[in-house]
Amino acid sequence: MAKFQTARQYLPRPQSLADHSALYTKTLAGEPYALPDFMQQICYSREVCQPQDLAMSLSQLQDPFTLKGMHAAIARLEQAYQQQQSILIVGDFDADGATSTALMLQGLAVLGFSHVDYCVPDRFIYGYGLSTEIVTSIADDAAKPDLIITVDNGIASVEGVNLAKQLGIDVLITDHHLVGKTLPDAVAIINPNQPDCQFQYKHLAGVGVAFHLLMAIRMRWRQSGLFDADSLVEPNLAQFLYLVALGTVADVVKIDGYNQVLVQQGLIRMRNNVINEGLRALIRLCNIDQRYLSSTDIAFKLAPRINAAGRLDDMRHGIELLRCADADTATQLAAELDHTNQRRKQIEKTMRAEADAELEQITAVTAEQLPRCLCLYQENWHQGVVGLIASRLKSQYYRPVIAFAPVYDADQQLISLKGSGRSIEGIHLRDMLDQLATQRPSLINKFGGHAMAAGLSIQPEDFAEFSQQFDRMLSAFDQSLFTEQCFYDAKLAPEDLTLEHALTLEQLLPWGQGLPEPLFYGEFEVLSISILSAQHIKASVRLEQQSFELMDFFADLEFWQQLDSSATKVAAVYYRMAVNRFRGAQRLQLIVEDILPLALGNIQ
């Protein structure tokens, strides 16, 4: 395939013209700091409009009992506590599932529960969620629990919950995934996305839902006088907010106003070292300056290493790291996760090359000529990595991508294909799968997920038909959806490009999904360039007589060579302000998001 350039349109982010309050933050020294005008607009455009919005206080958290099912859940947990029943936490094999599991284990312990254990189903044996296979395994164990609590899964486990009930095991579900047509017959379901749930904020991650369950237990214990009666120390659950922040950012849920509070409060505790030894060791291994730790550090350094355990190996390694209290053990666990992540990178690199080779068979060079959905499959692909391939290709081609891997039985016979999909704005992936499953009931074995990400299973012989039918459904969408719209916040003057401003932006808000990190536009003259590690560019650039350092990671070297040999040496750059920290020194650095010939830059 000829090199395909994603259809991308850059637009200035709409400015908020309403009369908002002036916003202040604090310097790292704790002094009040009035935000400059361009930062005020950045906040306003993200609906952070009042001083209390920027404060993100824990007082803004909602009553957990507004979550549907919470009263029934607490009643069952009271019974488990009073009767000293055994509880098994059933987690998931991603970072949200790992943080949810670690949170529930430690939270229940400080609330007085003494018979709590956990398991994470092996994705290659039991698949996702509370399947009938994992329930059978749990029931056959000598330590059969009285109560199962699912975290970050369970809402689709209708058959698994029914079997557990038949075997005398109650199930309490905590989840955040979108619900299907039938809900499991659990003793309680805590999920803000279930029908008739009055909880206002629908974007909690699984770990956020689990945190609210712990909040509700503490409220009930406090109201009933149980802390005094049983000589329990009432715990400060805020000590676990670092887990909530980690899982929320890692799961790429929308950082709405409510999640902003949870994530920012968790980041504050990470920066102030209110974390366990395991996470401390992982931060150290990633060479992160803990004093300035950001949501970007979570997304691109911490979460991938934790996720790698569930993708390739056993998520128990990630969970044990997140509850580890011994420094030596923590260092060892962090090193193991890092090694697993290096393996994941190599597997992903091989799979990406195979995907690119497959896409070379498509002769399209424009968005209109490409299929609306890219469905890919190779018989040697890894189940734990197909989601990453789908995500990378979705970003490159800006259209839904579903990548499939084979599933084998114990005799190494191919029995199904497991797919992981990623979508774009305006195309709700889970709803599309639901629609296709309704139209063609035999085509999809099972599915679940969100608007932007979903998983599914199909029969190997149905791959071609599934690909054709899914692409057919997407043909009903307007072509404009497949042009990526990117918004930049401002065209900054040289006096705005300062280390002080970069430091402020870094800490101002917990940037993430739905709360995009500020993007700026500038027309820079290139003074000199250096090629680093054969794939990155460091350039000295000039804007109105002031010089700045520009970094372009995984750069298009051919573009830079052409620019360097051109007469004008001026480029249109979309960039982010960042702080480069090296050997105790800090300096401003501009990070390239996209770079274009000036004629193709800021066209409005």
Side-chain angles (χ1 to χ4, degrees), residues 56 58 61 205 207 241-250 253-271 293-296 298 509-512 515:
M56 288 176 274
L58 287 176
L61 296 186
V207 69
L241 280 169
Y242 71 93
L243 291 170
V244 180
L246 179 56
T248 300
V249 173
V253 295
K254 183 178 180 181
I255 308 298
D256 60 9
Y258 199 74
N259 277 334
Q260 286 174 35
V261 175
L262 293 170
V263 174
Q264 190 76 329
Q265 289 291 331
L267 286 171
I268 289 170
R269 282 157 180 81
M270 289 186 192
R271 293 166 190 155
L293 191 144
S294 68
S295 53
T296 302
I298 292 176
L509 290 169
W511 312 110
L515 191 70

Side-chain angles (χ1 to χ4, degrees), residues 98-152:
T99 52
S100 300
T101 303
L103 172 67
M104 287 298 293
L105 288 168
Q106 296 173 91
L108 290 176
V110 298
L111 287 163
F113 292 85
S114 55
H115 303 288
V116 184
D117 202 352
Y118 78 96
C119 79
V120 180
D122 186 320
R123 71 191 304 161
F124 308 110
I125 299 175
Y126 301 111
Y128 170 78
L130 191 67
S131 64
T132 54
E133 292 82 3
I134 193 62
V135 170
T136 300
S137 175
I138 290 168
D140 288 343
D141 193 280
K144 174 183 171 183
D146 300 296
L147 173 66
I148 289 173
I149 302 177
T150 70
V151 290
D152 191 36

Side-chain angles (χ1 to χ4, degrees), residues 334-585:
E336 290 174 359
L337 290 178
D338 186 60
H339 176 70
T340 303
N341 192 50
Q342 293 302 321
R343 286 174 48 217
R344 185 273 304 169
K345 287 182 178 180
Q346 187 56 52
I347 292 170
E348 182 186 346
K349 181 179 179 180
T350 301
M351 289 172 59
R352 179 60 191 272
E354 292 170 348
D356 288 341
E358 183 174 343
L359 289 170
E360 284 180 4
Q361 306 305 313
I362 303 173
T363 58
V365 293
T366 66
E368 290 81 358
Q369 294 171 312
L370 275 175
R372 292 292 182 89
C373 179
L374 300 177
C375 293
L376 305 170
Y377 165 65
Q378 295 285 332
E379 63 182 12
N380 62 325
W381 278 5
H382 196 291
Q383 291 180 40
V385 185
V386 285
L388 291 174
I389 297 299
S391 180
R392 308 286 194 246
L393 294 175
K394 182 267 295 185
S395 297
Q396 180 178 351
Y397 294 100
Y398 201 68
R399 60 204 53 243
V401 178
I402 305 177
F404 289 88
V407 178
Y408 298 99
D409 62 16
D411 297 322
Q412 292 301 300
Q413 297 298 310
L414 180 63
I415 56 173
S416 66
L417 303 184
K418 181 178 180 181
S420 185
R422 300 294 183 270
S423 193
I424 59 177
E425 291 293 334
I427 298 178
H428 195 299
L429 188 54
R430 187 204 169 277
D431 284 357
M432 294 296 294
L433 292 170
D434 191 19
Q435 183 180 339
L436 182 56
T438 300
Q439 294 176 3
R440 305 291 296 271
S442 63
L443 196 55
I444 303 176
N445 297 338
K446 55 184 177 181
F447 66 92
H450 301 294
M452 304 300 285
L456 69 154
S457 175
I458 64 174
Q459 293 303 115
E461 61 270 19
D462 290 332
F463 173 75
E465 185 179 359
F466 172 85
S467 304
Q468 181 181 33
Q469 293 299 326
F470 204 84
D471 193 63
R472 173 191 59 79
M473 292 175 62
L474 291 178
S475 66
F477 289 86
D478 191 272
Q479 178 63 38
S480 62
L481 278 178
F482 301 90
T483 297
E484 184 177 9
Q485 285 197 338
C486 303
F487 294 95
Y488 67 92
D489 289 280
K491 185 176 181 179
L492 296 181
E495 56 267 26
D496 292 323
L497 295 173
T498 67
L499 176 62
E500 179 187 43
H501 286 164
L503 286 165
T504 301
L505 284 174
E506 182 181 62
Q507 308 290 315
L508 185 62
L509 290 169
W511 312 110
Q513 181 71 24
L515 191 70
E517 188 177 352
L519 182 68
F520 305 107
Y521 172 76
E523 297 164 7
F524 293 92
E525 178 188 1
V526 178
L527 303 177
S528 65
I529 67 170
S530 301
I531 301 176
L532 308 178
S533 303
Q535 56 186 341
H536 312 310
I537 290 288
K538 181 168 75 170
S540 175
V541 298
R542 183 161 55 201
L543 181 66
E544 298 179 18
Q545 307 309 311
Q546 290 194 36
S547 297
F548 301 94
E549 182 181 290
L550 193 73
M551 281 297 304
D552 188 3
F553 294 102
F554 302 101
D556 182 343
L557 299 182
E558 183 179 342
F559 169 85
W560 279 98
Q561 289 167 357
Q562 292 174 353
L563 181 64
D564 192 40
S565 62
S566 68
T568 58
K569 292 188 172 67
V570 177
V573 184
Y574 298 93
Y575 66 93
R576 305 185 190 280
M577 271 197 273
V579 181
N580 181 285
R581 296 184 172 92
F582 184 67
R583 294 180 178 174

Side-chain angles (χ1 to χ4, degrees), residues 590-603:
L590 309 183
I591 307 297
V592 173
E593 181 74 14
D594 205 352
I595 184 165
L596 305 166
L598 184 59
L600 299 178
N602 187 12
I603 300 174

Side-chain angles (χ1 to χ4, degrees), residues 4-19:
F4 176 82
Q5 181 64 46
T6 299
R8 182 176 292 142
Q9 180 182 25
Y10 283 94
L11 300 168
R13 192 177 299 281
Q15 298 289 293
S16 175
L17 302 177
D19 183 18

